[in-house]
Amino acid sequence: MSRSTTAPRDPAAVATPRPEGPAETLDPEVAIRPVASLQEVLGALSDPVRLEMVRRLMAAGRPQACGTLYASVGKSTASHHFKLLRENGIIERHLIGGQVHQYLRQEALDAAHPGVVRSIVAAAEAERGA
């Protein structure tokens, strides 16, 4: 009996659709990682600064310049938060017109953990409005 060599489809490895634009490329220095486990994603989103970054990215629906995603921390601290979000497969980095932008990997997140990130962001928005 021969075994199939086809690996089962990993929902965390879903290709993220890339917004189109003539001057946009994925940052070649940063590899896109698969979406992390549920526990790791929840851990990454447990920090209020990272949660706000993801909330702003979700609201925009397209890549955003880094500076538009934070206000309460310095640039080096924001870089640390972006790195943690990238390492957990939540965002990816794009270069647009020579400027670094962050992009929420919504499709990959929904494939790996259906509705989780949307629910967390919605709860955070409801809490802010209360």
Side-chain angles (χ1 to χ4, degrees):
M1 232 183 204
S2 69
R3 289 180 58 188
S4 172
T5 58
T6 305
R9 181 184 159 123
D10 178 7
V14 171
T16 303
R18 308 291 188 263
E20 295 180 22
E24 180 177 337
T25 62
L26 283 172
D27 189 337
E29 296 181 15
V30 180
I32 298 174
R33 297 188 181 197
V35 174
S37 70
L38 180 59
Q39 182 178 2
E40 291 168 319
V41 169
L42 293 174
L45 296 177
S46 67
D47 183 277
V49 172
R50 290 191 293 269
L51 180 57
E52 178 61 15
M53 289 173 167
V54 169
R55 186 196 70 74
R56 290 179 184 193
L57 282 168
M58 188 175 285
R62 59 186 174 80
Q64 295 294 299
C66 297
T68 65
L69 299 174
Y70 63 92
S72 63
V73 297
K75 189 174 182 177
S76 64
T77 302
S79 293
H80 168 73
H81 288 299
F82 289 134
K83 179 183 175 195
L84 287 172
L85 291 170
R86 279 193 315 276
E87 287 175 345
N88 285 288
I90 298 169
I91 64 172
E92 60 189 44
R93 193 159 81 177
H94 291 249
L95 295 175
I96 302 174
Q99 185 179 18
V100 175
H101 287 63
Q102 304 296 332
Y103 180 71
L104 182 65
R105 299 183 62 221
Q106 188 65 58
E107 187 175 308
L109 288 164
D110 284 341
H113 310 297
V116 170
V117 175
R118 290 180 193 274
S119 296
I120 291 169
V121 169
E125 287 178 340
E127 192 174 275
R128 285 179 72 190

